[in-house]
Amino acid sequence: CFAFLILSSFQHALNSGVRRYHVAPVLCQRAKVAMSHFEPNEYINYEKLEKNINIVRKRLDRPLTLSEKIVYGHLDDPAKQEIERGKTYLRLRPDRVAMQDATAQMAMLQFISSGLPKVAVPSTIHCDHLIEAQAGGEKDLRRAKDINQEVYNFLSTAGAKYGVGFWKPGSGIIHQIILENYSYPGVMLIGTDSHTPNGGGLGGVCIGVGGADAVDVMAGIPWELKCPKVIGVKLTGKLSGWSSPKDVILKVAGILTVKGGTGAIIEYHGPGVDSISCTGMATICNMGAEIGATTSIFPYNARMKKYLSKTGRAEIAALADEFQQHLVPDSGCQYDQVIEINLSELKPHINGPFTPDLAHPVSDIGAVAEKEGWPIDIRVGLIGSCTNSSYEDMGRSAAVAKQALAHGLKCKSKFTITPGSEQIRATIERDGYAQILRDVGGLVLANACGPCIGQWDRKDIKKGEKNTIVTSYNRNFTGRNDANPETHAFVTSPEIVTALSIAGTLKFNPETDYLTGADGKKFKLEAPDADELPKLEFDPGQDTYQYPPKDGSGQHVDVSPTSQRLQLLEPFDKWDGKDLEDMLILIKVKGKCTTDHISAAGPWLKFRGHLDNISNNLLIGAINIENGKANSVRNALTQEFGPVPDTARYYKKMGVKWAVIGDENYGEGSSREHAALEPRHLGGRVIITKSFARIHETNLKKQGLLPLTFADPADYNKIHPVDKLSIVGLADFAPGKPLKCIIKHPNGSQETILLNHTFNESQIEWFQAGSALNRMKELQQK
């Protein structure tokens, strides 16, 4: 930055006509700026971004969206890459990788299998998923460190050996850590968690992927992504009152639904953007995962600059200012679809239950709940999570709580608070927010994912008891938070959660309704107001980062052969060159089937590093169309009904291949690749659906499975759970060419249908080799 200032002074002198000085060549170069404080020798390369953008702009001869600038700016070969939105596959060079501890186990096990000595790009591991909410922050953290010692030791030593930074348990949620330290305008970051798009709040293209994709990037291999479409969301007006950034994405989710963003980047633009804080923009991008979007992004602006400076990265902000033209969309750029939202007219929203796209204004939810028979009384309110745990979020919630306390009230519902990071926890403790939230009845949990991902030892209800909870989380699928299928979970902003928890009912609208104070007098809550950033500097709290050593080659990584938590991977078998004939149908799924249904989280998280053990949860949440039950399927060989994993294991033992039949948007939700590894491990070969969620479809391909879609969605009805299936024509498997499926019914009749796929040539090689990792090893040996 000093070089910028000197050069600027010299140029001013030259332009002013005063005595000309010789400018040394070193000052003609822009100063190098590190990507983060933790990697002082890894620099932001805006020059390369600029060069690639210029090459592509000249080729396409049109204005570019911001999404296109950053994505195409990271092309491996910008001069020759075929570019067509929604059609071609791009070969990209992301800047960095981030992994949360539940997915990092399998990612690092795959990286170890690759035989490579060190990661090729800056990479980090974040311990946030394995801490169960039970008694409160400190106690829960101590318990987690004890229970998960083997896994934490594996991740720590693997990070040290292969050059990966390690954020210890208690440091915070991966996405908050990324926002505070690693995201910056123009970065391309991939993360092994579906809510990685959170980093779009700082103007980066941050994309959720499976572990095998992360291994590609860490191995220095170009990463493939289908060229995304771009959906523009134009924001006008200004947020005010009870309306918050969360309401923007709740509204968008209601418009686009859980699959409306599939294959697209959501790009926010327009004059309303500047009324939203940087962390508010991150909230909006984070929950874009719930509409299936590849990622979401905001253009670089003064709110981002302010956040960068407050988090100790003023030099990055200064560099971004220099390159600002590449960090905003071109004038006249074209979007594939445009949605317009007037923030001045936006009302507070609450979405749910059971799906994050069922949108309601808060003013209507009480009446809707009564009509639908949903429980009105709120049992628990939960604020925090990676979506809403910023300083501003906590401040606005505390502002609501403070009003209740002033009138002698506490929460009628149970109330929990999850700080997003150690930095947020320490700062809200120092500034009094945490104590206000405790005083109103709240329990401060560990800096971790906790109940948002099912890590919640809930005691106030019995399983099967119908009840309502409200959260500031992002996802509310059946049983996700507490494993109880009768819990009606609603997502909204943290300040609305706080207000509803004080009232204890969905029938309360804080914009219009009154509460009764301890003195018997009625009062109305005023709309909360809070600073977006602390007046003082952030308090970093405890140091929780482990730097990888310069040379980790001597580091030993322990994986015990008798471990129940970790298991080294064996390569999957190669394709035998034959058609897949007479496959049995393990399950024909009825309705929504998320990755939570395919590979449940919660108590199963402890097996994320042990493929055989975690495979015991395969599809246990999916509903079998044959009997309307979960985890109950007919064994076609014995005609007995039993658990899905047991049936799959039986087929594998008998050497019988099997398939799964799914409905729309199969595999929506989390990025967890276990939902692809498990069916492959237990003998699955084909998943046939009406449509797939992006990340899951890629994960299936990476593990050597065939994700196929009905050419005619009505053909879903032609297949019955008792049928046998054959996929023919695999010898001529080629991009864009449908495959034939022969359906053999028990009565001897047959039907032939067409199945589409999205494989390109290199992905077909993954299938033929048995997996993408197998193919990587084949190429290394050539």
Side-chain angles (χ1 to χ4, degrees), residues 572-573 580-586 611-612 615 618-619 644-660 674-687 700 703-706 725 767 770:
F572 290 131
D573 60 313
L580 297 169
E581 296 188 347
D582 293 332
M583 290 181 293
L584 299 178
I585 295 170
L586 178 66
L611 180 54
D612 194 56
S615 293
L618 174 65
L619 286 159
V644 182
D646 294 359
T647 308
R649 286 188 187 277
Y650 186 85
Y651 291 162
K652 181 180 181 181
K653 178 183 174 183
M654 302 304 291
V656 178
K657 298 178 175 66
W658 52 263
V660 170
H674 300 78
L677 283 160
E678 292 175 34
R680 183 72 165 97
H681 175 63
L682 294 185
R685 285 294 186 267
V686 181
I687 313 293
L700 291 168
Q703 303 307 334
L705 285 148
L706 285 176
L725 304 178
F767 167 72

Side-chain angles (χ1 to χ4, degrees), residues 504-626:
T505 174
L506 288 176
K507 295 181 75 173
F508 179 68
N509 176 11
E511 287 191 300
T512 58
D513 295 343
Y514 287 79
L515 294 168
T516 303
D519 59 1
K521 295 180 180 177
K522 292 188 178 295
F523 72 97
K524 194 164 156 239
L525 292 170
E526 294 180 6
D529 187 32
D531 295 330
E532 65 180 277
L533 295 165
K535 290 184 171 64
L536 303 174
E537 296 305 309
F538 276 109
D539 183 340
Q542 299 178 35
D543 182 6
T544 55
Y545 180 71
Q546 172 187 293
Y547 288 86
K550 289 183 179 179
D551 180 9
S553 58
Q555 175 70 55
H556 182 68
V557 180
D558 247 344
V559 179
S560 168
T562 60
S563 172
Q564 294 301 301
R565 300 289 301 269
L566 299 165
Q567 180 186 46
L568 292 175
L569 297 174
E570 294 291 331
F572 290 131
D573 60 313
K574 292 180 66 171
W575 175 55
D576 61 9
K578 301 176 183 178
D579 287 337
L580 297 169
E581 296 188 347
D582 293 332
M583 290 181 293
L584 299 178
I585 295 170
L586 178 66
I587 183 173
K588 182 179 179 182
V589 178
K590 178 183 178 182
K592 186 187 282 282
C593 189
T594 71
T595 48
D596 278 359
H597 294 88
I598 304 167
S599 176
W604 291 96
L605 284 167
K606 61 177 173 286
F607 296 127
R608 284 285 181 87
H610 197 293
L611 180 54
D612 194 56
N613 281 346
I614 199 167
S615 293
N616 289 321
N617 76 1
L618 174 65
L619 286 159
I620 61 175
I623 301 301
N624 179 7
I625 199 167
E626 187 175 5

Side-chain angles (χ1 to χ4, degrees), residues 132-133 354 379-380 382 450-471 473 475-490 596 600-603:
E132 185 181 50
F354 306 124
R379 299 294 288 269
V380 190
L382 306 98
C452 184
I453 60 162
Q455 284 283 44
W456 185 14
D457 184 19
R458 190 176 180 191
K459 303 288 191 185
D460 65 298
I461 58 156
K462 294 177 181 177
K463 190 166 183 177
E465 184 179 341
K466 200 172 178 181
N467 74 103
T468 284
I469 64 173
V470 292
T471 82
Y473 303 162
R475 202 165 275 164
N476 59 348
F477 302 142
T478 302
R480 176 175 173 85
N481 302 121
D482 60 3
N484 178 15
E486 290 300 325
T487 292
H488 294 55
F490 296 84
D596 278 359

Side-chain angles (χ1 to χ4, degrees), residues 30-31 44-52 319 323:
R30 288 184 168 97
I44 295 173
N45 195 346
Y46 280 152
E47 286 86 355
K48 183 178 180 182
L49 186 77
E50 181 177 55
K51 180 182 177 182
N52 287 2
L319 189 63
F323 286 88

Side-chain angles (χ1 to χ4, degrees), residues 344-365:
S344 299
E345 298 173 356
L346 183 64
K347 289 292 185 181
H349 272 63
I350 183 168
N351 289 21
F354 306 124
T355 185
D357 59 352
L358 186 57
H360 322 271
V362 170
S363 56
D364 296 346
I365 189 61

